[in-house]
Amino acid sequence: MPLPRAPHRALLACAVTVTLAGCSVSGSGSDAADRSPGASASAAGDSRRTVVTFSGTSPLGAERLRRTADRMRARADALGLKDVRVDTRGNGVTVTGRAADVDQLTRLGMSGHLGFRPVLAEATVGTTPTPTPSASADPTRGRAVTDGLLPRAAGSASASAAPEPAEGNAPDAALQARYAALGCSTQERIATRREAPAEDAVVACGTTGAGSASRAKFILGPTAVEGVHVTSAVAVRDKRVPGWIVRLDFDSVGARQFSDVTRRLAVNTSPQNQFAVVLDGAVISAPSVSQQLDGGTADIYGSFTRASAEQLAATLGSGALPTPLTVMSVTSLRRP
């Protein structure tokens, strides 16, 4: 199934630090300029309280509830949220804090499932792929970077050709059909964020690049690096570029996996030389790779404010929640 040409992406050129460009994650609050002493004093003097009630999507059990609450407390601590209380009740968790922090309190319940998946196909939402014959001049080109991902027809990978289903492989054809029909409406975006097995190829929605509001849809190969291999995540201000970044460090397994997959992707052509950073089922970045990347560190660039970078770092640094949560209610209170 052919695709239109993918938008231009900045290449990942450094050999030690992986630069993942194009991350767009909504965050609460604003940048450092908004964290003035006057604003802090105003928030501190606000006696209003907010209670956010979360419920598990399935029965959790006491141990999973405890671990879920512990990770939410760790996120609150990492964000520097003051006077926050996290309690387990029934099949859920309640978070109580300042009313001024309601957005951050709500985001404490993000699943935080991170994965790095190869991009097999990409199109801007609203475009119609134009069928073109698949290239066949070199039947071996591109195979090395897609082996073990999603079977596709022999031939060079191109921005205008989506992966073709392997002979007799019905799920591949079904996946392409879902991709062709995907419009990334609000309901469809929610549906694509449901947890999918790491070994499966999936369709997903996201944005086309840094600071871009354009929506894109993707076919992604199985997860190449799991978020469990991220050992730390911090928000830092990078002197080389304006704005904030989120810096990730991998353990030895993750560093090796990242090096291996970037080696394979680097010889492919767009969009199959791209690597999607997937958070809770949504693509937050899909940079292209020009060479093998070693070192075990990844910098996620994007249109971050200080607050949104810190929010993402706190979510990733604490690890994914043991179970998905749903916000059941947000209640405002006033202290007596």
Side-chain angles (χ1 to χ4, degrees), residues 17 232-236 238 240 245-249 297-300:
T17 299
S232 70
V234 294
V236 297
D238 193 343
R240 296 169 296 176
I245 65 173
V246 177
R247 178 160 293 160
L248 307 180
D249 288 318
T297 298
D299 286 346
I300 305 180

Side-chain angles (χ1 to χ4, degrees), residues 85-110:
R85 178 171 176 172
V86 180
D87 298 300
T88 60
R89 295 183 182 177
N91 191 51
V93 178
T94 62
V95 177
T96 305
R98 299 182 308 181
D101 298 328
V102 60
D103 288 340
Q104 290 172 302
L105 297 175
T106 301
R107 288 186 174 91
L108 294 180
M110 286 181 62

Side-chain angles (χ1 to χ4, degrees), residues 11-26:
L11 298 182
L12 303 184
C14 58
V16 177
T17 299
V18 183
T19 302
L20 300 179
C23 175
S24 176
V25 178
S26 1

Side-chain angles (χ1 to χ4, degrees), residues 182-232:
L182 187 61
C184 289
S185 65
T186 300
Q187 288 187 336
E188 287 176 313
R189 291 199 303 273
I190 293 173
T192 62
R193 293 184 187 191
R194 293 171 184 163
E195 292 303 316
E199 65 273 14
D200 289 353
V202 298
V203 295
C205 296
T207 56
T208 57
S212 173
S214 299
R215 287 177 294 166
K217 60 182 180 178
F218 302 84
I219 297 180
L220 305 176
T223 301
V225 186
E226 290 273 17
V228 294
H229 298 300
V230 173
T231 57
S232 70

